[in-house]
Amino acid sequence: MNDATLIRKSLFRKKTRAILLVLSIMTAFLIFAVLGAFSRALNAGVETAAADRLVTLNAINFTLDMPYAYYSRVAGIEGVEHVTHANWFGGYYQDPRNVIQAFAVEMESYLAVYGELVITAGDRDTLLNQRDCMALGADLAGQYGWSVGEQIPLSSNIWSQQDGARAWDLEICAIFDAEDEDVPANYLIFHYEYFNEALAFNRDRIGWMILTTGDPARNDAVAQAIDAQFANSPAETETATEAAFGQAFLEQVGNIGLILTLVIGAAFATILMIVGTTMVMAINERTKEVAVMKTLGFSPPRIFTHVLSESVLLSLLGGLLGLGLAAGMVTAVGGALAGFLPGFRMTSDIAVQAVGLMVLFGVVTGLLPAVNAMRLNIVDGLSKD
């Protein structure tokens, strides 16, 4: 019998206990992987933010707008490469429960600022030249089964037209996507002019501006120049990098990272104590067996390796099962959530972190039992009841 067979048989000598331990570890890594995918999806916007892209908001808070005239003034500031503006539409389709992220934008400059969006040349020309056109993200189009050429009534829970209607009739002229899967494609954009000219109130106002500097080294100077331009005005501005804006927005709903860390940490700490205690008890039950192995010539380092390998193998068995189950769950619901939570998927970095934690988990829980077994005196072990 070789060492690998001996380790496997020792691990499953009490099958019920081994299976329960595997299930416990599986649960811990299932939680780790699913929450990791969720956390990654939440932070995808921050991670994909362009280094030279800035966002200018009303300094009071992001729900307040600014005069349209700010747009041309920002475009004239030295260091600004491209600038565009956007308004939150508060969109929904047919029923207010069918919420759609929709933005009224200055189309040509928007596509220049977000150069990572991929649109076919023909669709792009149509989109730029037809006022009632809109462009859909591929995830949103897939969610509703929409395609180019369809007419969609897009309603707003904020805005109304001068005739009292709350729906804008729009034609799908383009569907955009990006080479980077983490770039959100779960929203739609349409022409600001078409939106603004029909508004019943609050015309000639913009929600925020997005601009590029072409060089991250210019960011601070450009941001300061913009905010100085509108200092002491009725609508002062605050300019920050796109990544900082995304992070601040996430913090509006709480420290997601801290919550996930606490949940994962609590699950791991609980299971670590359970598995560690069980491993110590299991080795104590095998004291005579270990003493006999030493009598037969097993060296202390070999005994140490056997016990530690059992622990690591147990951790890998449970962890890989949990990781596989999590991958299946994330894949199964990822498509359905693509419209709300783009980027919700299992990635290689999550898998690598999980495997690393499995090995660490196995070493931590098996180290003390392995040391005790290595130090066991043969006479003491054989005389123990």
Side-chain angles (χ1 to χ4, degrees):
M1 181 180 295
N2 57 32
D3 285 0
T5 304
L6 186 60
I7 291 170
R8 180 172 55 79
K9 287 187 174 295
S10 298
L11 180 60
F12 288 100
R13 60 185 297 165
K14 291 193 175 181
K15 290 186 173 56
T16 303
R17 181 170 62 193
I19 290 171
L20 289 175
L21 288 174
V22 167
L23 290 176
S24 299
I25 298 170
M26 182 191 76
T27 304
F29 281 95
L30 172 65
I31 295 171
F32 171 83
V34 172
L35 292 184
F38 182 69
S39 176
R40 184 186 172 283
L42 285 179
N43 289 286
V46 177
E47 294 173 358
T48 58
D52 68 337
R53 203 151 52 206
L54 304 179
V55 178
T56 298
L57 304 164
N58 190 303
I60 297 176
N61 67 53
F62 68 88
T63 64
L64 298 180
D65 53 25
M66 298 174 285
Y68 178 80
Y70 281 21
Y71 174 52
S72 57
R73 293 175 65 180
V74 167
I77 291 176
E78 184 178 356
V80 174
E81 183 184 52
H82 298 290
V83 60
T84 190
H85 60 83
N87 285 56
W88 174 252
F89 185 67
Y92 65 89
Y93 175 62
Q94 293 182 338
D95 188 299
R97 289 174 295 185
N98 300 326
V99 176
I100 291 178
Q101 293 186 57
F103 305 96
V105 304
E106 201 296 304
M107 192 64 72
E108 187 167 6
S109 59
Y110 187 91
L111 296 179
V113 168
Y114 289 96
E116 65 269 33
L117 300 183
V118 178
I119 301 177
T120 63
D123 289 348
R124 183 187 181 95
D125 290 342
T126 306
L127 178 65
L128 293 177
N129 294 315
Q130 190 172 320
R131 290 166 56 83
D132 64 345
C133 270
M134 65 175 168
L136 300 180
D139 290 337
L140 181 62
Q143 180 184 351
Y144 286 94
W146 289 335
S147 57
V148 172
E150 289 189 63
Q151 292 279 347
I152 303 296
L154 183 67
S155 301
S156 172
N157 55 24
I158 303 173
W159 312 108
S160 60
Q161 300 191 45
Q162 294 163 25
D163 61 2
R166 285 188 169 273
W168 271 254
D169 291 323
L170 297 166
E171 179 179 342
I172 301 172
C173 296
I175 293 176
F176 63 81
D177 206 344
E179 293 182 0
D180 185 347
E181 292 183 347
D182 289 336
V183 173
N186 62 333
Y187 64 97
L188 68 83
I189 51 178
F190 65 100
H191 289 277
Y192 171 81
E193 293 81 0
Y194 182 62
F195 160 76
N196 186 58
E197 70 181 12
L199 277 177
F201 60 94
N202 210 50
R203 297 180 67 179
D204 300 326
R205 307 286 291 184
I206 56 176
W208 62 93
M209 289 177 282
I210 313 102
L211 57 118
T212 57
T213 63
D215 183 353
R218 299 179 193 149
N219 288 355
D220 288 342
V222 171
Q224 291 172 12
I226 293 172
D227 294 340
Q229 177 87 251
F230 306 113
N232 301 315
S233 70
E236 294 187 342
T237 61
E238 181 175 351
T239 303
T241 63
E242 186 181 37
F245 170 71
Q247 188 63 47
F249 186 79
L250 281 178
E251 290 173 357
Q252 298 286 322
V253 293
N255 193 332
I256 302 297
L258 177 61
I259 294 171
L260 293 178
T261 301
L262 290 176
V263 170
I264 294 171
F268 265 85
T270 303
I271 294 173
L272 183 71
M273 288 187 289
I274 294 172
V275 175
T277 303
T278 307
M279 285 297 293
V280 171
M281 293 172 59
I283 295 302
N284 285 337
E285 292 172 1
R286 291 159 50 192
T287 300
K288 282 190 176 179
E289 179 184 318
V290 172
V292 170
M293 290 172 68
K294 284 190 170 183
T295 304
L296 294 174
F298 281 70
S299 65
R302 193 176 176 189
I303 296 290
F304 176 87
T305 303
H306 270 233
V307 176
L308 195 60
S309 297
E310 283 182 40
S311 179
V312 173
L313 179 60
L314 181 72
S315 179
L316 286 172
L317 279 174
L320 290 174
L321 281 173
L323 192 60
L325 188 58
M329 290 174 61
V330 169
T331 302
V333 303
L337 293 178
F340 307 100
L341 200 62
F344 182 67
R345 65 177 182 278
M346 192 64 61
T347 57
S348 58
D349 58 328
I350 295 174
V352 169
Q353 289 177 26
V355 172
L357 281 173
M358 290 171 206
V359 174
L360 179 64
F361 188 71
V363 170
V364 170
T365 54
L367 188 60
L368 181 60
V371 170
N372 290 339
M374 182 178 66
R375 291 178 174 174
L376 180 69
N377 182 279
I378 295 176
V379 175
D380 293 341
L382 292 174
S383 61
K384 190 172 182 179
D385 293 333

